[in-house]
Coordinates of all heavy atoms in Angstrom, one line a residue:
Chain F
S1 N 38.5 -103.2 37.2 CA 37.5 -102.5 36.4 C 37.9 -101.4 35.8 O 39.1 -100.8 35.9 CB 36.4 -102.2 37.5 OG 36.9 -101.2 38.3
S2 N 37.1 -100.8 34.8 CA 37.6 -99.8 34.1 C 37.6 -98.4 34.8 O 38.3 -97.5 34.7 CB 36.7 -99.6 32.7 OG 35.5 -98.9 33.2
S3 N 36.7 -98.4 35.9 CA 36.7 -97.2 36.8 C 38.0 -97.2 37.6 O 38.5 -96.1 37.8 CB 35.5 -97.1 37.6 OG 35.5 -98.1 38.6
E4 N 38.4 -98.4 38.1 CA 39.8 -98.4 38.8 C 40.9 -97.8 37.9 O 41.7 -97.2 38.2 CB 40.0 -99.7 39.4 CG 41.3 -99.6 40.3 CD 41.6 -100.9 40.9 OE1 41.3 -102.0 40.2 OE2 42.5 -100.8 41.7
A5 N 40.8 -98.2 36.5 CA 41.8 -97.8 35.6 C 41.8 -96.4 35.5 O 42.8 -95.7 35.2 CB 41.8 -98.6 34.2
D6 N 40.5 -95.8 35.3 CA 40.5 -94.4 35.3 C 41.0 -93.7 36.4 O 41.6 -92.6 36.3 CB 38.9 -94.0 35.2 CG 38.3 -94.3 33.9 OD1 38.9 -94.2 32.8 OD2 37.1 -94.7 33.8
E7 N 40.8 -94.1 37.7 CA 41.3 -93.5 38.8 C 42.9 -93.6 38.9 O 43.5 -92.7 39.2 CB 40.9 -94.3 40.1 CG 39.5 -93.8 40.4 CD 38.8 -94.6 41.7 OE1 39.8 -95.1 42.5 OE2 37.8 -94.8 41.7
M8 N 43.4 -94.8 38.5 CA 44.8 -95.0 38.4 C 45.5 -94.0 37.3 O 46.5 -93.4 37.6 CB 45.2 -96.4 38.1 CG 44.9 -97.3 39.1 SD 44.9 -99.1 38.6 CE 46.8 -99.2 38.4
A9 N 44.8 -93.8 36.1 CA 45.3 -93.0 35.1 C 45.2 -91.5 35.6 O 46.3 -90.7 35.5 CB 44.4 -93.2 33.8
A10 N 44.2 -91.2 36.3 CA 44.1 -89.7 36.8 C 45.2 -89.6 37.9 O 45.7 -88.5 37.8 CB 42.7 -89.6 37.4
A11 N 45.5 -90.5 38.7 CA 46.5 -90.3 39.7 C 47.9 -90.2 39.1 O 48.7 -89.3 39.5 CB 46.5 -91.5 40.6
I12 N 48.2 -90.9 37.9 CA 49.5 -90.8 37.3 C 49.6 -89.4 36.7 O 50.6 -88.8 36.8 CB 49.6 -92.0 36.3 CG1 49.8 -93.2 37.1 CG2 50.8 -91.7 35.4 CD1 49.6 -94.5 36.2
E13 N 48.5 -89.2 36.1 CA 48.5 -87.8 35.3 C 48.6 -86.6 36.2 O 49.4 -85.6 35.9 CB 47.3 -87.7 34.3 CG 47.5 -88.6 33.1 CD 46.3 -88.7 32.3 OE1 45.3 -87.9 32.4 OE2 46.3 -89.8 31.6
A14 N 48.0 -86.6 37.3 CA 48.1 -85.6 38.5 C 49.6 -85.4 38.8 O 50.1 -84.4 39.0 CB 47.1 -86.0 39.5
E15 N 50.2 -86.6 39.1 CA 51.6 -86.7 39.5 C 52.6 -86.0 38.5 O 53.4 -85.2 38.7 CB 52.0 -88.0 39.9 CG 53.2 -88.0 40.8 CD 53.5 -89.3 41.4 OE1 52.5 -90.1 41.7 OE2 54.7 -89.7 41.6
L16 N 52.3 -86.4 37.2 CA 53.1 -85.8 36.1 C 52.9 -84.3 35.9 O 53.8 -83.6 35.7 CB 52.7 -86.6 34.8 CG 53.2 -88.0 34.7 CD1 52.7 -88.6 33.4 CD2 54.6 -88.1 34.9
N17 N 51.6 -83.8 36.2 CA 51.4 -82.4 36.0 C 52.0 -81.7 37.1 O 52.4 -80.5 36.9 CB 49.9 -82.2 35.9 CG 49.3 -82.7 34.6 OD1 50.1 -82.7 33.5 ND2 48.1 -83.1 34.5
D18 N 52.1 -82.3 38.3 CA 52.8 -81.5 39.3 C 54.2 -81.4 39.0 O 54.9 -80.5 39.4 CB 52.7 -82.4 40.7 CG 51.2 -82.4 41.3 OD1 50.4 -81.4 40.8 OD2 50.9 -83.1 42.2
F19 N 54.7 -82.4 38.5 CA 56.2 -82.5 38.1 C 56.5 -81.4 37.1 O 57.6 -80.8 37.3 CB 56.5 -83.9 37.5 CG 57.7 -84.1 36.9 CD1 58.9 -84.1 37.8 CD2 58.1 -84.3 35.6 CE1 60.2 -84.2 37.2 CE2 59.2 -84.5 35.1 CZ 60.3 -84.4 35.9
I20 N 55.7 -81.3 36.1 CA 56.0 -80.2 35.2 C 55.6 -78.8 35.7 O 56.3 -78.0 35.7 CB 55.0 -80.4 33.9 CG1 55.5 -81.8 33.2 CG2 55.1 -79.3 32.9 CD1 54.3 -82.3 32.3
Chain N
T1 N 57.8 -114.4 26.5 CA 56.7 -114.8 25.7 C 55.4 -114.2 26.2 O 55.3 -114.1 27.4 CB 56.6 -116.3 25.4 OG1 56.3 -116.8 26.7 CG2 57.9 -116.8 24.9
P2 N 54.4 -114.1 25.3 CA 53.1 -113.6 25.8 C 52.4 -114.5 26.7 O 51.6 -114.1 27.5 CB 52.3 -113.5 24.4 CG 53.2 -113.5 23.3 CD 54.5 -114.2 23.9
C3 N 52.8 -115.8 26.8 CA 52.1 -116.8 27.6 C 52.8 -116.9 29.0 O 52.2 -117.6 29.9 CB 52.1 -118.1 27.0 SG 51.2 -118.2 25.4
S4 N 53.8 -116.2 29.2 CA 54.6 -116.5 30.5 C 53.9 -116.0 31.7 O 54.2 -116.5 32.7 CB 56.0 -115.8 30.3 OG 55.8 -114.3 30.4
G5 N 53.0 -115.0 31.5 CA 52.3 -114.5 32.6 C 53.2 -113.7 33.6 O 53.0 -113.5 34.7
D6 N 54.3 -113.2 33.0 CA 55.4 -112.6 33.8 C 55.8 -111.3 33.1 O 56.9 -111.1 32.8 CB 56.7 -113.5 33.8 CG 57.6 -113.0 34.8 OD1 57.2 -112.3 35.8 OD2 58.9 -113.3 34.5
I7 N 54.7 -110.4 33.0 CA 55.0 -109.2 32.4 C 55.5 -108.1 33.5 O 55.1 -108.1 34.7 CB 53.8 -108.5 31.8 CG1 53.4 -109.4 30.6 CG2 53.9 -107.0 31.4 CD1 52.1 -109.0 30.0
Q8 N 56.6 -107.6 33.2 CA 57.3 -106.6 34.2 C 57.1 -105.1 33.7 O 57.3 -104.7 32.6 CB 58.7 -106.9 34.2 CG 59.0 -108.2 35.0 CD 60.4 -108.4 35.4 OE1 61.3 -108.1 34.7 NE2 60.5 -108.8 36.6
L9 N 56.8 -104.4 34.7 CA 56.6 -102.9 34.4 C 57.9 -102.3 34.6 O 58.4 -101.9 35.8 CB 55.6 -102.3 35.4 CG 55.4 -100.8 35.5 CD1 55.2 -100.2 34.1 CD2 54.1 -100.4 36.3
T10 N 58.7 -102.1 33.4 CA 60.0 -101.4 33.5 C 60.1 -100.2 32.6 O 59.3 -100.1 31.6 CB 61.1 -102.5 33.1 OG1 60.9 -102.8 31.7 CG2 61.1 -103.8 33.9
E11 N 61.1 -99.5 32.7 CA 61.3 -98.3 31.8 C 61.5 -98.8 30.4 O 60.9 -98.2 29.5 CB 62.6 -97.5 32.4 CG 62.8 -96.3 31.5 CD 63.9 -95.3 32.3 OE1 64.0 -95.4 33.5 OE2 64.5 -94.9 31.5
E12 N 62.3 -99.9 30.1 CA 62.5 -100.4 28.9 C 61.2 -100.8 28.2 O 61.1 -100.5 27.0 CB 63.5 -101.5 29.0 CG 64.1 -101.9 27.6 CD 64.6 -100.8 26.7 OE1 65.1 -99.9 27.3 OE2 64.2 -100.8 25.6
A13 N 60.3 -101.5 29.0 CA 59.1 -101.9 28.4 C 58.1 -100.8 28.0 O 57.6 -100.7 26.9 CB 58.3 -102.8 29.3
V14 N 58.2 -99.7 28.8 CA 57.3 -98.5 28.5 C 57.9 -97.8 27.4 O 57.1 -97.3 26.5 CB 57.3 -97.6 29.7 CG1 56.6 -96.4 29.5 CG2 56.5 -98.3 30.9
R15 N 59.2 -97.7 27.4 CA 60.0 -97.0 26.3 C 59.6 -97.7 24.9 O 59.3 -97.1 23.9 CB 61.5 -97.1 26.4 CG 62.2 -96.3 25.3 CD 63.7 -96.7 25.4 NE 64.3 -96.3 26.6 CZ 64.7 -95.1 26.9 NH1 64.6 -94.1 26.0 NH2 65.3 -94.9 28.1
R16 N 59.5 -99.0 24.9 CA 59.3 -99.8 23.7 C 57.9 -99.5 23.3 O 57.7 -99.3 22.0 CB 59.4 -101.3 24.0 CG 60.4 -102.0 23.0 CD 60.6 -103.6 23.2 NE 59.9 -104.1 24.2 CZ 60.5 -104.6 25.4 NH1 61.7 -104.5 25.6 NH2 59.7 -105.1 26.3
Y17 N 57.0 -99.4 24.1 CA 55.5 -99.2 23.7 C 55.4 -97.9 23.1 O 54.7 -97.5 22.1 CB 54.5 -99.4 24.9 CG 54.2 -100.8 25.2 CD1 54.4 -101.4 26.5 CD2 53.6 -101.6 24.1 CE1 54.0 -102.6 26.8 CE2 53.3 -102.9 24.5 CZ 53.6 -103.5 25.8 OH 53.2 -104.8 26.1
L18 N 56.0 -96.8 23.8 CA 55.9 -95.4 23.4 C 56.5 -95.1 22.2 O 56.3 -94.1 21.5 CB 56.1 -94.6 24.5 CG 55.2 -94.6 25.8 CD1 55.6 -93.6 26.8 CD2 53.8 -94.4 25.4
T19 N 57.6 -95.9 21.9 CA 58.3 -95.7 20.5 C 57.5 -96.2 19.4 O 57.7 -95.7 18.3 CB 59.7 -96.3 20.7 OG1 60.4 -95.8 21.8 CG2 60.5 -96.0 19.4
R20 N 56.8 -97.2 19.7 CA 55.9 -97.9 18.5 C 54.7 -97.0 18.2 O 54.5 -96.9 17.0 CB 55.5 -99.2 19.1 CG 55.3 -100.3 18.1 CD 55.0 -101.5 18.6 NE 55.9 -102.1 19.5 CZ 55.7 -103.1 20.5 NH1 54.5 -103.5 20.6 NH2 56.8 -103.6 21.2
K21 N 54.0 -96.5 19.2 CA 52.9 -95.6 18.8 C 52.5 -94.8 20.2 O 52.8 -95.2 21.2 CB 51.8 -96.5 18.3 CG 51.1 -97.4 19.4 CD 49.9 -98.1 19.0 CE 49.2 -98.8 19.9 NZ 47.8 -99.3 19.7
P22 N 51.7 -93.7 19.8 CA 51.3 -92.9 20.9 C 50.2 -93.6 21.7 O 49.3 -94.3 21.2 CB 50.7 -91.6 20.2 CG 51.2 -91.7 18.8 CD 51.5 -93.0 18.4
M23 N 50.4 -93.5 23.1 CA 49.5 -94.2 23.9 C 49.0 -93.3 25.1 O 49.7 -92.5 25.5 CB 50.1 -95.4 24.5 CG 50.5 -96.4 23.6 SD 51.4 -97.9 24.4 CE 49.9 -99.0 24.6
T24 N 47.7 -93.6 25.5 CA 47.2 -92.8 26.7 C 47.8 -93.5 28.0 O 48.2 -94.6 27.9 CB 45.7 -92.7 26.7 OG1 45.4 -94.1 27.0 CG2 45.1 -92.1 25.4
T25 N 47.6 -92.8 29.1 CA 48.0 -93.6 30.4 C 47.2 -94.8 30.5 O 47.6 -95.8 31.1 CB 47.7 -92.5 31.5 OG1 48.2 -91.2 31.2 CG2 48.2 -93.0 32.9
K26 N 45.8 -94.7 30.1 CA 44.9 -95.9 30.3 C 45.5 -97.1 29.3 O 45.5 -98.2 29.8 CB 43.6 -95.6 30.0 CG 42.8 -95.3 31.3 CD 41.3 -95.1 30.9 CE 40.6 -96.5 31.1 NZ 39.1 -96.3 31.0
D27 N 45.9 -96.6 28.2 CA 46.6 -97.7 27.3 C 47.8 -98.5 28.0 O 47.8 -99.7 27.9 CB 47.1 -97.2 26.1 CG 45.9 -96.6 25.1 OD1 44.8 -97.0 25.2 OD2 46.3 -95.6 24.4
L28 N 48.6 -97.6 28.5 CA 49.7 -98.1 29.3 C 49.2 -99.0 30.4 O 49.8 -100.2 30.7 CB 50.6 -97.1 29.8 CG 51.5 -96.4 28.6 CD1 52.1 -95.2 29.2 CD2 52.6 -97.4 28.1
L29 N 48.3 -98.7 31.1 CA 47.8 -99.5 32.3 C 47.2 -100.7 31.9 O 47.4 -101.7 32.6 CB 46.8 -98.6 33.1 CG 47.3 -97.4 34.0 CD1 46.2 -96.7 34.5 CD2 48.2 -98.1 35.1
K30 N 46.6 -100.7 30.7 CA 46.1 -102.1 30.1 C 47.3 -103.1 29.8 O 47.0 -104.1 30.0 CB 45.3 -101.8 28.8 CG 43.8 -101.7 29.1 CD 43.2 -101.5 27.8 CE 42.2 -100.2 27.8 NZ 41.8 -99.7 26.5
K31 N 48.3 -102.5 29.4 CA 49.5 -103.3 29.1 C 50.2 -103.9 30.4 O 50.8 -105.0 30.3 CB 50.6 -102.5 28.3 CG 50.2 -101.9 27.0 CD 49.9 -103.1 26.1 CE 49.7 -102.5 24.6 NZ 49.2 -103.5 23.7
F32 N 50.0 -103.2 31.4 CA 50.6 -103.6 32.8 C 49.6 -103.7 33.9 O 49.7 -103.2 34.9 CB 51.6 -102.6 33.2 CG 52.8 -102.3 32.1 CD1 52.8 -101.1 31.3 CD2 53.8 -103.2 32.0 CE1 53.9 -100.9 30.3 CE2 54.7 -103.1 31.0 CZ 54.8 -101.8 30.2
Q33 N 48.5 -104.5 33.4 CA 47.6 -104.8 34.4 C 48.1 -105.5 35.7 O 49.1 -106.3 35.5 CB 46.5 -105.7 33.8 CG 45.7 -105.0 32.8 CD 44.7 -106.0 32.1 OE1 44.2 -106.8 32.7 NE2 44.5 -105.8 30.8
T34 N 47.6 -105.1 36.9 CA 48.2 -105.7 38.0 C 48.1 -107.3 38.1 O 49.0 -107.9 38.7 CB 47.3 -105.1 39.3 OG1 45.8 -105.5 39.1 CG2 47.4 -103.7 39.4
K35 N 47.1 -107.9 37.4 CA 47.0 -109.3 37.5 C 48.2 -110.0 36.6 O 48.5 -111.1 36.9 CB 45.8 -109.8 37.0 CG 45.3 -109.5 35.6 CD 43.8 -109.8 35.2 CE 43.5 -109.5 33.8 NZ 42.1 -109.5 33.7
K36 N 48.7 -109.1 35.7 CA 49.8 -109.6 34.9 C 51.2 -109.4 35.6 O 52.0 -110.1 35.3 CB 49.9 -109.0 33.5 CG 48.6 -109.3 32.6 CD 48.7 -108.7 31.3 CE 47.5 -108.7 30.4 NZ 47.5 -107.9 29.3
T37 N 51.3 -108.3 36.3 CA 52.6 -107.8 36.8 C 52.8 -108.3 38.3 O 53.9 -108.4 38.8 CB 52.8 -106.3 36.8 OG1 51.7 -105.8 37.7 CG2 52.7 -105.7 35.4
G38 N 51.6 -108.6 39.0 CA 51.8 -108.9 40.3 C 51.9 -107.7 41.3 O 52.0 -107.8 42.5
L39 N 51.9 -106.5 40.7 CA 52.1 -105.3 41.5 C 50.7 -104.8 42.0 O 49.6 -105.2 41.4 CB 52.6 -104.1 40.7 CG 54.0 -104.2 40.1 CD1 54.4 -103.1 39.4 CD2 55.1 -104.5 41.3
S40 N 50.6 -104.1 43.1 CA 49.3 -103.6 43.6 C 49.1 -102.4 42.7 O 49.9 -101.8 42.0 CB 49.5 -103.1 45.1 OG 50.3 -102.0 45.2
S41 N 47.7 -101.9 42.7 CA 47.3 -100.7 42.0 C 48.2 -99.4 42.4 O 48.6 -98.7 41.4 CB 45.9 -100.3 42.3 OG 45.1 -101.4 41.9
E42 N 48.5 -99.4 43.7 CA 49.3 -98.2 44.2 C 50.7 -98.3 43.7 O 51.2 -97.3 43.2 CB 49.3 -98.3 45.8 CG 49.7 -96.9 46.4 CD 49.8 -96.9 47.9 OE1 49.1 -97.8 48.4 OE2 50.3 -96.1 48.4
Q43 N 51.3 -99.4 43.7 CA 52.7 -99.7 43.3 C 52.7 -99.3 41.7 O 53.7 -98.7 41.3 CB 53.1 -101.1 43.4 CG 53.4 -101.5 44.8 CD 53.7 -102.9 45.0 OE1 53.1 -103.8 44.4 NE2 54.8 -103.2 45.8
T44 N 51.7 -99.8 41.0 CA 51.7 -99.7 39.5 C 51.5 -98.0 39.3 O 52.4 -97.5 38.4 CB 50.3 -100.3 39.0 OG1 50.5 -101.6 39.2 CG2 50.2 -100.0 37.5
V45 N 50.8 -97.3 40.1 CA 50.6 -95.9 39.8 C 52.0 -95.2 40.1 O 52.4 -94.3 39.3 CB 49.5 -95.3 40.7 CG1 49.6 -93.8 40.9 CG2 48.2 -95.7 40.3
N46 N 52.6 -95.6 41.3 CA 53.9 -94.9 41.6 C 55.0 -95.2 40.7 O 55.8 -94.4 40.1 CB 54.3 -95.4 43.0 CG 53.5 -94.8 44.1 OD1 52.8 -93.8 44.0 ND2 53.3 -95.6 45.2
V47 N 55.2 -96.5 40.3 CA 56.1 -96.9 39.4 C 55.9 -96.4 37.8 O 56.9 -95.8 37.4 CB 56.2 -98.5 39.2 CG1 57.3 -99.0 38.2 CG2 56.7 -99.1 40.6
L48 N 54.7 -96.4 37.4 CA 54.5 -95.9 36.0 C 54.8 -94.3 36.1 O 55.3 -93.8 35.1 CB 53.1 -96.3 35.5 CG 52.8 -96.0 34.2 CD1 53.9 -96.5 33.1 CD2 51.4 -96.6 33.7
A49 N 54.3 -93.7 37.1 CA 54.5 -92.1 37.2 C 56.0 -91.9 37.1 O 56.5 -91.0 36.5 CB 53.9 -91.6 38.5
Q50 N 56.8 -92.6 38.0 CA 58.3 -92.3 38.0 C 58.9 -92.6 36.7 O 59.7 -91.9 36.3 CB 58.9 -93.4 39.0 CG 58.6 -93.1 40.5 CD 58.8 -91.6 40.9 OE1 59.8 -91.1 40.5 NE2 57.8 -91.0 41.5
I51 N 58.5 -93.7 36.0 CA 59.0 -94.1 34.6 C 58.8 -92.9 33.6 O 59.6 -92.5 32.8 CB 58.5 -95.5 34.2 CG1 59.1 -96.5 34.9 CG2 58.9 -95.6 32.7 CD1 58.6 -97.9 34.7
L52 N 57.5 -92.5 33.7 CA 57.1 -91.4 32.8 C 57.8 -90.1 33.0 O 58.1 -89.3 32.1 CB 55.6 -91.2 32.8 CG 54.7 -92.4 32.1 CD1 53.3 -92.2 32.4 CD2 55.0 -92.4 30.6
K53 N 58.1 -89.8 34.3 CA 58.9 -88.6 34.6 C 60.4 -88.9 34.1 O 60.9 -87.8 33.5 CB 59.0 -88.4 36.1 CG 57.7 -87.9 36.8 CD 57.9 -87.8 38.3 CE 56.6 -87.5 39.0 NZ 56.8 -87.5 40.5
R54 N 60.9 -89.9 34.1 CA 62.2 -90.1 33.7 C 62.2 -90.1 32.1 O 63.1 -89.5 31.6 CB 62.8 -91.6 34.2 CG 63.5 -91.3 35.4 CD 64.5 -92.6 35.7 NE 63.7 -93.9 35.5 CZ 63.2 -94.6 36.5 NH1 63.2 -94.0 37.8 NH2 62.7 -95.7 36.3
L55 N 61.2 -90.8 31.5 CA 61.2 -90.7 30.0 C 61.0 -89.4 29.4 O 61.4 -89.1 28.4 CB 60.3 -91.8 29.5 CG 60.6 -93.3 29.7 CD1 59.6 -94.3 29.3 CD2 61.9 -93.7 28.9
N56 N 60.1 -88.7 30.3 CA 59.6 -87.4 29.7 C 59.2 -87.5 28.2 O 59.7 -86.6 27.5 CB 60.7 -86.3 29.9 CG 60.2 -85.0 29.8 OD1 59.0 -84.8 30.1 ND2 61.0 -84.0 29.5
P57 N 58.2 -88.2 28.0 CA 57.8 -88.4 26.5 C 57.1 -87.2 26.1 O 56.5 -86.4 26.9 CB 56.8 -89.7 26.6 CG 56.2 -89.6 28.0 CD 57.3 -89.1 28.9
D58 N 57.1 -86.9 24.7 CA 56.3 -85.9 24.1 C 54.9 -86.2 24.3 O 54.5 -87.4 24.4 CB 56.7 -85.8 22.6 CG 58.0 -85.2 22.5 OD1 58.4 -84.2 23.3 OD2 58.8 -85.6 21.5
R59 N 54.0 -85.2 24.1 CA 52.5 -85.5 24.3 C 52.0 -84.9 23.1 O 52.3 -83.8 22.6 CB 52.1 -84.8 25.5 CG 52.8 -85.2 26.8 CD 52.3 -84.2 28.0 NE 52.9 -84.5 29.2 CZ 52.4 -84.3 30.4 NH1 51.2 -83.7 30.6 NH2 53.0 -84.8 31.5
K60 N 50.8 -85.5 22.7 CA 49.9 -85.0 21.6 C 48.5 -85.4 22.0 O 48.2 -86.5 22.5 CB 50.5 -85.4 20.3 CG 50.2 -86.8 19.9 CD 50.4 -86.9 18.3 CE 51.5 -87.8 18.0 NZ 51.7 -87.9 16.6
T61 N 47.6 -84.6 21.5 CA 46.2 -84.9 21.7 C 45.5 -85.5 20.5 O 45.6 -85.0 19.4 CB 45.4 -83.7 22.1 OG1 46.0 -82.9 23.2 CG2 43.9 -83.9 22.4
I62 N 45.0 -86.7 20.7 CA 44.4 -87.5 19.6 C 43.0 -87.8 20.0 O 42.8 -88.4 21.1 CB 45.1 -88.7 19.2 CG1 46.6 -88.4 18.9 CG2 44.5 -89.5 18.1 CD1 47.5 -89.6 18.9
H63 N 42.0 -87.4 19.3 CA 40.6 -87.7 19.6 C 40.3 -87.2 21.1 O 39.8 -87.8 22.0 CB 40.2 -89.1 19.6 CG 40.4 -89.8 18.1 ND1 40.0 -89.2 17.1 CD2 41.1 -90.8 17.8 CE1 40.2 -90.0 16.1 NE2 41.0 -91.0 16.5
D64 N 40.8 -86.0 21.3 CA 40.6 -85.3 22.6 C 41.3 -86.0 23.8 O 40.9 -85.7 24.9 CB 39.0 -85.2 22.8 CG 38.4 -84.0 22.0 OD1 39.1 -83.1 21.6 OD2 37.2 -84.2 21.9
K65 N 42.1 -86.9 23.6 CA 42.7 -87.6 24.7 C 44.3 -87.4 24.6 O 44.9 -87.5 23.5 CB 42.4 -89.1 24.7 CG 41.1 -89.3 25.2 CD 40.9 -90.9 25.2 CE 39.4 -91.1 25.7 NZ 39.1 -92.6 25.3
M66 N 44.9 -87.1 25.7 CA 46.4 -86.9 25.7 C 47.1 -88.2 25.5 O 46.8 -89.2 26.3 CB 46.7 -86.2 27.1 CG 48.1 -85.7 27.0 SD 49.2 -86.6 28.0 CE 48.5 -86.4 29.6
H67 N 48.0 -88.2 24.6 CA 48.8 -89.4 24.3 C 50.2 -89.1 24.5 O 50.7 -87.9 24.2 CB 48.6 -89.9 22.9 CG 47.3 -90.5 22.5 ND1 46.1 -89.9 22.6 CD2 46.9 -91.7 22.1 CE1 45.1 -90.6 22.4 NE2 45.6 -91.8 22.0
F68 N 51.0 -90.1 25.0 CA 52.5 -90.0 25.2 C 53.1 -90.7 24.0 O 52.6 -91.6 23.5 CB 53.0 -90.6 26.4 CG 52.5 -90.0 27.7 CD1 51.5 -90.6 28.5 CD2 52.9 -88.7 28.1 CE1 51.1 -90.1 29.7 CE2 52.3 -88.1 29.2 CZ 51.5 -88.8 30.0
Y69 N 54.2 -90.1 23.5 CA 55.1 -90.9 22.6 C 56.5 -90.5 22.7 O 56.8 -89.4 23.1 CB 54.5 -90.7 21.2 CG 54.6 -89.3 20.6 CD1 55.6 -89.0 19.6 CD2 53.8 -88.3 21.0 CE1 55.8 -87.7 19.2 CE2 54.0 -87.0 20.5 CZ 55.0 -86.6 19.6 OH 55.2 -85.4 19.1
L70 N 57.3 -91.4 22.1 CA 58.8 -91.2 22.1 C 59.3 -91.3 20.7 O 58.8 -92.2 19.9 CB 59.5 -92.1 22.9 CG 59.4 -92.0 24.4 CD1 59.8 -93.4 25.2 CD2 60.1 -90.8 24.9
K71 N 60.2 -90.3 20.2 CA 60.9 -90.6 18.9 C 62.0 -91.5 19.1 O 62.6 -91.5 20.2 CB 61.3 -89.2 18.4 CG 60.2 -88.2 18.3 CD 60.8 -86.9 17.7 CE 59.6 -85.8 17.8 NZ 59.8 -84.9 19.0
E72 N 62.3 -92.3 18.1 CA 63.4 -93.2 18.2 C 64.8 -92.6 18.2 O 64.8 -91.5 17.7 CB 63.4 -94.2 17.2 CG 62.1 -95.2 17.1 CD 62.3 -96.3 16.2 OE1 63.3 -97.0 16.3 OE2 61.4 -96.3 15.3

């Protein structure tokens, strides 16, 4: 579903922002 | 081929997409849907995050959304 994709995208971006 | 049903989430595949045009994280997730790759949602998140960390693409905001892109 698109809401699952939203959650996945948010998780990835959170991990990247921690990295930076 | 597009019909093979065997899409793989690899650094090379992500690099190819981001070199072609800027994409959001959701755009990338659409290219590597779990039903196409056979990975779980959690695996997809972990693998794609690792790939993006390695590629370290440039970012730009288009229509208020953050897009990643790579120069050739």
Side-chain angles (χ1 to χ4, degrees):
Chain F
S1 69
S2 77
S3 70
E4 190 186 11
D6 283 331
E7 282 176 26
M8 291 167 72
I12 291 168
E13 286 167 21
E15 202 171 320
L16 291 178
N17 288 332
D18 287 347
F19 171 69
I20 293 162
Chain N
T1 62
C3 296
S4 69
D6 186 28
I7 290 174
Q8 290 196 314
L9 175 46
T10 63
E11 183 169 327
E12 190 47 43
V14 174
R15 180 196 301 277
R16 241 184 350 252
Y17 282 124
L18 294 184
T19 304
R20 213 176 294 159
K21 65 170 187 171
M23 297 179 94
T24 66
T25 312
K26 269 188 84 172
D27 293 333
L28 285 169
L29 287 169
K30 263 182 235 165
K31 300 292 186 190
F32 301 105
Q33 290 174 39
T34 53
K35 65 186 173 194
K36 294 183 189 167
T37 61
L39 298 177
S40 69
S41 298
E42 193 180 347
Q43 286 173 318
T44 301
V45 167
N46 289 335
V47 172
L48 190 50
Q50 292 307 314
I51 289 172
L52 289 170
K53 283 179 191 176
R54 274 202 301 270
L55 290 175
N56 194 22
D58 288 318
R59 300 170 180 214
K60 72 166 116 179
T61 301
I62 303 170
H63 302 310
D64 286 334
K65 286 183 183 163
M66 195 253 294
H67 288 64
F68 297 111
Y69 68 101
L70 288 166
K71 298 181 193 99
E72 288 191 67

